[in-house]
Amino acid sequence: MEQQEWWKETVVYQIYPRSFQDSNGDGIGDLRGIISRLDYLLHLGIGAIWLSPVCKSPQDDYGYDISDYQDIDPMFGSLEDMEALIHEAGKRNIRIIMDLVLNHTSDEHPWFQEAKKGKDNPYHDYYVWRDGIEGTPPNDLTSTFGGSAWEWVPEIGQYYLHLFSVKQPDLNWANPKVRQDIYSMINWWIEKGVGGFRLDVIDLIGKEPDSKITGNGPLLHEYIRELSKKTFQKGKELLTVGETWGATPEIAKLYSNPDGSEFSMVFQFEHISLDEQEGRGKWDLKPLDLMELKDVLSKWQTELKGEAWNSLFWNNHDLPRIVSRWGNDGEFRVESAKMLATLLHGMQGTPYIYQGEELGMTNVQYEIKDYRDIELLRFYKERMEKGYPEHEVMESIYAKGRDNARTPMQWDDSHQAGFTVGEPWIKVNPNYTEIHAAENVQNPDSIFHYYRQLIQLRKDHEVIVYGDYELIFPEHPDVFAYTRSLHENQIMVVCNFRGETVQLPLQEHLSSSAELLLANYTDMLPDNELRAYEARMYLMQNN
């Protein structure tokens, strides 16, 4: 059996702080707001909170541009508030997972302010600089947010690298002083009592820009092993998860080696690009092919078995709401949200719930003036300049824009959904009067209580955490079904991805000992019939 670890057996809840709960009426969520909602999360049953960045930042990319790693941005509160959050969460056996951005800093970080003063400044080599001529960048590397990845600094006659915003200069990991300063900072946070770290775009730190290598550079794993040895391995059972867009199962086995030399697990994103047109970007849409989803998720389940650990997620702060994306956010919103949750939480790996997912929160359709995301607004501008029809551009934004995930948490049906007494930094989804936490908590058949049951089932049944995975009905075009087996126990998960009834010879796989653990419909049809978005989880004795 897999080596047992607390982070394999828990469920993590991701909070995007500026949109979770405002405590002071400025329209921006904050740490005190999170503290006020800890009992809600305790009731849900989660064991850890992944907090999107709260460190000091000019907020060019909403906190992923850090100007001080060892202070809290005033919009979220103070260092004392952060210490209080760690303490209060700890009293409820909930650990705080911090978001670390180690590929780049803000251009307002003191290191970069010094680096710009001259080539002989001791901090100059903390960043990636290249000589050049103004107007002729060193090469054609592009930024994720559009345009060249090189920015000219006339005072010193050099370009610096920024794989993201121009205000996010890339750190030079080849410089051992950079690494030592980063390790000191991480150990300072470990001393504060954090339960782990999510490592933002960590697969970029081994970049070799002259060779146009950004992800998975030749020294990447050497850097990560040193990082882990000098920091994570000194902590008490820390959860560490790397954001690795370029990971394959083979690479993931390095990141998540059971010997603990790198991370606990990684976020891989292969399933996330299945509704993109081949060879295009995330904005170029195509319908999800269920057979492809089965192939990808099953591959990660089987190939990592015993050699690495999966993270399981549909949503995060960068992704659209799953019920709008691959479910049905209209007539079957509740059923499809529960179905998608069942599929994910029955698999091997650590499940992540993104705030509002447990309520079935949906995507939004705003006018362009009401969006805030830097990436989305740049996409709109570029496509409009190229002459794309506006309705096509907006369709992509409605489907894939990051602001879908960033609208305020819907707590109740009062003004601004109970998120703030002020004016929120981004508009609340207008459907908050129907979809909100207060109704979900009161309603025993709600999506919230369904998530509670899924979380409890992981605690009650070791087979859900550690069992072997096997896909069943692999050729069925509408149903995703699988078993998990451990010793004498087996669970079977069956999910209908269609908005209509389908036939399935389920009895072929059901033993006489089969007990229905969970279903998203209260009444049961015969075993061979699954209604729209129906999901079931059975427990059986393994033969």
Side-chain angles (χ1 to χ4, degrees):
M1 193 175 95
E2 298 270 357
Q3 190 178 331
Q4 292 181 288
E5 307 276 3
W6 75 267
W7 41 263
K8 294 178 178 176
E9 299 171 8
T10 198
V11 174
V12 182
Y13 189 92
Q14 185 192 354
I15 287 178
Y16 191 68
R18 65 164 52 230
S19 297
F20 192 65
Q21 178 66 69
D22 175 22
S23 72
N24 60 3
D26 66 357
I28 296 170
D30 48 49
L31 296 176
R32 287 282 158 194
I34 295 170
I35 292 170
S36 75
R37 296 295 187 179
L38 285 173
D39 286 338
Y40 166 85
L41 297 176
L42 178 65
H43 187 39
L44 183 59
I46 56 102
I49 293 168
W50 157 25
L51 213 54
S52 283
V54 291
C55 291
K56 207 162 188 183
S57 165
Q59 303 294 319
D60 180 61
D61 188 24
Y62 292 122
Y64 286 90
D65 49 319
I66 292 175
S67 57
D68 188 342
Y69 287 104
Q70 289 173 253
D71 201 1
I72 299 300
D73 196 279
M75 74 164 60
F76 298 128
S78 64
L79 200 50
E80 289 71 29
D81 292 333
M82 184 66 183
E83 290 164 347
L85 173 60
I86 293 167
H87 177 70
E88 287 298 321
K91 285 191 339 198
R92 295 162 175 83
N93 288 319
I94 296 172
R95 308 187 199 214
I96 299 297
I97 311 301
M98 284 194 70
D99 209 324
L100 273 184
V101 187
L102 303 181
N103 176 67
H104 48 264
T105 69
S106 165
D107 64 345
E108 296 181 32
H109 193 290
W111 295 347
F112 192 73
Q113 293 298 303
E114 287 295 313
K116 282 196 307 183
K117 289 179 179 175
K119 297 177 188 178
D120 55 352
N121 188 287
Y123 286 96
H124 186 73
D125 199 32
Y126 271 48
Y127 296 87
V128 180
W129 299 90
R130 293 293 182 269
D131 294 327
I133 304 159
E134 187 172 5
T136 309
N139 59 30
D140 60 357
L141 272 181
T142 56
S143 152
T144 298
F145 294 153
S148 173
W150 298 99
E151 180 70 7
W152 179 250
V153 180
E155 307 94 275
I156 52 175
Q158 281 188 312
Y159 285 90
Y160 68 83
L161 181 71
H162 60 93
L163 292 178
F164 294 90
S165 156
V166 70
K167 288 183 64 62
Q168 292 169 294
D170 277 55
L171 285 164
N172 175 19
W173 271 72
N175 181 347
K177 291 179 182 170
V178 170
R179 304 200 301 272
Q180 290 310 317
D181 280 356
I182 285 172
Y183 305 156
S184 298
M185 173 271 294
I186 292 171
N187 287 325
W188 183 82
W189 278 113
I190 292 171
E191 287 292 312
K192 294 264 179 215
V194 300
F197 302 92
R198 179 261 187 188
L199 292 300
D200 183 65
V201 295
I202 195 66
D203 55 351
L204 302 181
I205 63 169
K207 68 187 81 67
E208 290 193 353
D210 301 325
S211 308
K212 298 200 239 181
I213 296 170
T214 53
N216 297 315
L219 294 177
L220 174 64
H221 293 279
E222 190 178 311
Y223 291 152
I224 292 174
R225 283 191 289 272
E226 182 184 273
L227 162 69
S228 175
K229 187 177 178 185
K230 302 279 181 151
T231 59
F232 309 144
Q233 292 174 39
K234 295 180 175 182
K236 292 176 183 169
E237 303 180 306
L238 298 178
L239 183 162
T240 53
V241 54
E243 182 194 24
T244 57
W245 281 84
T248 62
E250 286 309 310
I251 295 171
K253 290 172 190 177
L254 296 174
Y255 285 122
S256 180
N257 191 314
D259 69 6
S261 58
E262 296 197 16
F263 303 138
S264 313
M265 66 192 91
V266 292
F267 287 126
Q268 63 81 19
F269 296 89
E270 194 176 351
H271 63 299
I272 292 305
S273 58
L274 292 177
D275 53 4
E276 292 172 14
Q277 293 173 29
E278 188 104 21
R280 308 284 299 275
K282 80 173 195 180
W283 304 105
D284 301 297
L285 311 174
K286 72 164 193 178
L288 174 70
D289 181 334
L290 180 61
M291 303 304 277
E292 289 184 352
L293 183 67
K294 288 202 245 190
D295 286 348
V296 168
L297 292 184
S298 297
K299 174 178 76 176
W300 283 88
Q301 286 289 296
T302 54
E303 293 195 19
L304 262 55
K305 177 65 186 167
E307 297 186 69
W309 193 251
N310 279 293
S311 55
L312 306 169
F313 69 98
W314 291 130
N315 300 277
N316 64 31
H317 60 288
D318 285 334
L319 299 175
R321 295 283 178 182
I322 195 61
V323 73
S324 298
R325 185 178 190 177
W326 291 344
N328 175 320
D329 61 11
E331 180 185 0
F332 295 110
R333 183 184 65 86
V334 172
E335 291 82 1
S336 64
K338 290 177 178 179
M339 181 278 287
L340 289 159
T342 312
L343 181 75
L344 202 73
H345 283 244
M347 290 188 171
Q348 185 176 73
T350 300
Y352 288 74
I353 299 169
Y354 179 72
Q355 62 184 46
E357 179 185 337
E358 77 283 8
L359 310 176
M361 279 178 60
T362 67
N363 284 355
V364 290
Q365 295 191 4
Y366 293 159
E367 294 176 50
I368 195 67
K369 67 179 175 61
D370 292 321
Y371 288 103
R372 300 288 176 264
D373 175 37
I374 177 176
E375 180 193 50
L376 179 160
L377 296 173
R378 189 165 284 140
F379 162 76
Y380 177 83
K381 180 172 178 285
E382 285 176 359
R383 288 271 165 116
M384 293 303 290
E385 285 172 355
K386 287 176 180 172
Y388 281 72
E390 186 174 26
H391 71 90
E392 268 184 35
V393 178
M394 293 310 294
E395 281 301 317
S396 292
I397 286 172
Y398 297 156
K400 292 288 189 76
R402 299 196 298 185
D403 281 343
N404 283 309
R406 301 176 182 187
T407 60
M409 182 72 173
Q410 293 162 212
W411 290 107
D412 55 43
D413 61 2
S414 67
H415 184 61
Q416 307 295 11
F419 165 70
T420 182
V421 296
E423 191 63 34
W425 72 277
I426 187 172
K427 275 173 64 173
V428 173
N429 189 327
N431 67 16
Y432 76 88
T433 52
E434 290 87 46
I435 302 170
H436 55 79
E439 189 278 330
N440 264 261
V441 171
Q442 287 165 6
N443 175 4
D445 291 327
S446 68
I447 299 168
F448 174 87
H449 284 289
Y450 196 86
Y451 269 86
R452 282 189 71 217
Q453 288 174 276
L454 284 166
I455 292 168
Q456 189 59 45
L457 286 171
R458 285 183 72 77
K459 295 173 183 174
D460 295 343
H461 299 281
E462 209 174 38
V463 61
I464 299 178
V465 181
Y466 295 110
D468 293 341
Y469 171 96
E470 186 180 354
L471 183 69
I472 55 176
F473 305 111
E475 304 305 321
H476 200 294
D478 307 315
V479 171
F480 196 146
Y482 59 87
T483 58
R484 302 282 310 288
S485 305
L486 182 70
H487 309 314
E488 69 283 359
N489 289 322
Q490 184 177 72
I491 64 155
M492 182 163 73
V493 174
V494 187
C495 296
N496 177 13
F497 263 75
R498 275 180 81 80
E500 56 192 55
T501 299
V502 301
Q503 302 297 313
L504 190 72
L506 206 52
Q507 56 277 14
E508 291 176 10
H509 291 273
L510 282 175
S511 70
S512 56
S513 68
E515 169 199 349
L516 186 69
L517 282 180
L518 190 63
N520 63 347
Y521 280 81
T522 49
D523 60 318
M524 293 304 291
L525 290 182
D527 288 337
N528 63 342
E529 252 177 80
L530 291 174
R531 284 158 289 191
Y533 300 104
E534 185 163 0
R536 301 178 194 172
M537 185 184 288
Y538 294 93
L539 177 66
M540 297 179 283
Q541 295 304 301
N542 203 351
N543 296 324

